[in-house]
Amino acid sequence: MGDAEGIGLWAASAPVVGAPMAGGASTPELVAAVGAAGGTGFLAGGYATPEALAEQIARTRGLTGRPFGVNLFVPGPDDADPDAVAAYARTIAPEADALLAPLGEPRWSDDAYPAKLDLLRSDPVPVVSFTFGVPAPADASALRAAGSAIVVTVTTLDEARAAVEAGADALVVQGAEAGGHQGSFDDAEERTAPLLDLLAEVRAEVRLPLIAAGGIGDAAAVRKVLAHGAAAAQVGTALLRSPESGASDTHKQALADEVFPGTAVTRAFSGRRARGLVNRFLGSYTAEAPAAYPQVHYLTGPMRKAAAREGDADRLHLWAGTAYRSAEERPAADIVRDLAEGA
Ligand SMILES: Cc1cc2nc3c(=O)[nH]c(=O)nc-3n(C[C@H](O)[C@H](O)[C@H](O)COP(=O)(O)O)c2cc1C
């Protein structure tokens, strides 16, 4: 696929992109449902083994003939402070104990990024998107030579410039309202730019198609980002409660539970800033959580798995964007059609 065709994806009949959501929410069924409504779905390569990702790609192809994308996490440096991680492990140990879960081994990992790139080079998909950084020039050119369009998530104008430099065909412009991890290349500073401000800033300088993400929950919000120069709107939280979403029932129910007062950004669950519903764990440990991704992700993993299984919404990462109250329990294709209405 050349650039023009890749860019044409964002002008699909519904200018809505189903966000990649790692950890189980993005399923082949969800990708197919987004495609059935004329949008573009994404599989989440983050945390998946290359084998599991290959299987998801094959299953998606069996369910839909529509173009779809695969998202990868660009690995960061192995620079977490082991003492800070050990201190945090001691602090949160009682929470894991309460669920009879062990603490996980806090290790660095490249998330099998090179093997996933190999997979996508040998078995290309229409779009490959990157989060937490830019692909190396050689990797980007190999993927483009294989026929994939390249998309990079950015949270600042500087990141947008770096993505252009790296040869991106389109950018996901992620505002501070977004659910899940902030896609920043560097997690040192919290990204606080609201989506429309960031979009205007990037639009003024960058000529690539921009996919706006963060806090988009209804058709009016989609129309607004399109009016501000976006080629499409990317939604994550809006799809989480659909039957096609693989989010846990505990997560799905929490999104509709009035007990949660809102969302906040925290490193408490993974060691990297992410927005989720304010539950007890987030409220108790955000101040102490170190900048240590993915070490803290692995440390809290068994506790979070047990919490999801046991229906314990207070010890689970309940990723959610600011518009989570509009997330509905409806088929994903209906949600996408409604979001695209009037666009
Ligand atoms: C549960 C969940 C998991 C996510 N996982 C990923 C991911 O694997 N890769 C990625 O680029 N973005 C991920 N995101 C962020 C989305 O791509 C997108 O920026 C965000 O969902 C947009 O904000 P919204 O949730 O308010 O719609 C995730 C978001 C959520 C809610």
Side-chain angles (χ1 to χ4, degrees), residues 80-93 103 106 290 292 295-296 299:
D81 172 0
D83 294 341
V85 175
Y88 189 58
R90 287 192 294 276
T91 303
I92 65 166
L103 287 173
Q295 287 84 352
V296 173
L299 182 71

Side-chain angles (χ1 to χ4, degrees), residues 19-23 25 44-46 71-73 129-131 153 172 174 177-181 213-216 234-238 240 251 275 319-323:
M21 292 188 280
N71 174 253
L72 298 182
F73 290 167
S129 75
F130 294 86
T131 300
T153 300
V172 169
Q174 188 198 49
E177 299 91 336
H181 283 111
I216 297 172
Q234 174 160 306
V235 297
T237 304
L240 276 177
H251 191 177
R275 184 177 293 282
W319 295 157
T322 54

Side-chain angles (χ1 to χ4, degrees), residues 235-281:
V235 297
T237 304
L239 299 169
L240 276 177
R241 296 183 63 215
S242 68
E244 294 89 350
S245 144
S248 67
D249 288 341
T250 309
H251 191 177
K252 288 183 177 186
Q253 281 159 22
L255 287 164
D257 192 335
E258 308 252 320
V259 83
F260 298 105
T263 67
V265 171
T266 187
R267 285 184 176 130
F269 294 103
S270 70
R272 199 180 220 288
R273 294 178 207 274
R275 184 177 293 282
L277 294 179
V278 177
N279 60 1
R280 206 181 46 74
F281 192 91

Side-chain angles (χ1 to χ4, degrees), residues 2-329:
D3 292 0
E5 207 185 323
I7 287 160
L9 281 180
W10 321 120
S13 48
V16 174
V17 174
M21 292 188 280
S26 289
T27 60
E29 289 73 19
L30 183 59
V31 172
V34 170
T40 306
F42 269 82
L43 289 173
Y47 310 138
T49 62
E51 296 73 29
L53 180 59
E55 195 192 299
Q56 290 217 337
I57 292 170
R59 273 182 48 215
T60 304
R61 288 191 183 120
L63 292 171
T64 181
R66 291 258 320 149
F68 64 93
V70 169
N71 174 253
L72 298 182
F73 290 167
V74 178
D78 182 7
D79 61 359
D81 172 0
D83 294 341
V85 175
Y88 189 58
R90 287 192 294 276
T91 303
I92 65 166
E95 302 289 347
D97 281 352
L99 282 163
L100 304 178
L103 287 173
E105 184 207 339
R107 61 195 169 87
W108 181 84
S109 141
D110 67 2
D111 197 37
Y113 178 76
K116 290 178 208 176
L117 283 174
D118 280 349
L119 166 73
L120 294 171
R121 262 195 302 264
S122 62
D123 187 13
V125 294
V127 190
V128 180
S129 75
F130 294 86
T131 300
F132 306 150
V134 290
D139 293 330
S141 9
L143 289 170
R144 295 181 90 186
S148 301
I150 308 286
V151 176
V152 176
T153 300
V154 300
T155 61
T156 63
L157 180 58
D158 279 347
E159 290 174 358
R161 289 175 178 147
V164 170
E165 189 77 10
D169 296 299
L171 307 182
V172 169
V173 176
Q174 188 198 49
E177 299 91 336
H181 283 111
Q182 299 194 338
S184 333
F185 298 1
D186 173 353
D187 187 50
E189 276 172 49
E190 182 172 347
R191 301 306 181 207
T192 53
L195 174 59
L196 290 181
D197 292 356
L198 182 63
L199 190 57
E201 205 185 356
V202 176
R203 177 76 288 161
E205 194 175 306
V206 174
R207 292 287 148 248
L208 296 176
L210 305 179
I211 303 159
I216 297 172
D218 57 27
V222 173
R223 284 197 299 271
K224 200 180 256 176
V225 295
L226 298 181
H228 281 74
Q234 174 160 306
V235 297
T237 304
L239 299 169
L240 276 177
R241 296 183 63 215
S242 68
E244 294 89 350
S245 144
S248 67
D249 288 341
T250 309
H251 191 177
K252 288 183 177 186
Q253 281 159 22
L255 287 164
D257 192 335
E258 308 252 320
V259 83
F260 298 105
T263 67
V265 171
T266 187
R267 285 184 176 130
F269 294 103
S270 70
R272 199 180 220 288
R273 294 178 207 274
R275 184 177 293 282
L277 294 179
V278 177
N279 60 1
R280 206 181 46 74
F281 192 91
L282 186 151
S284 305
Y285 301 110
T286 295
E288 288 163 80
Y293 178 87
Q295 287 84 352
V296 173
H297 164 81
Y298 290 116
L299 182 71
T300 62
M303 175 194 76
R304 293 182 288 116
K305 262 198 197 89
R309 203 176 49 234
E310 307 286 324
D312 180 349
D314 266 320
R315 294 187 176 93
L316 183 61
H317 58 296
L318 302 169
W319 295 157
T322 54
Y324 71 96
R325 285 191 203 276
S326 359
E328 291 180 299
E329 188 182 355

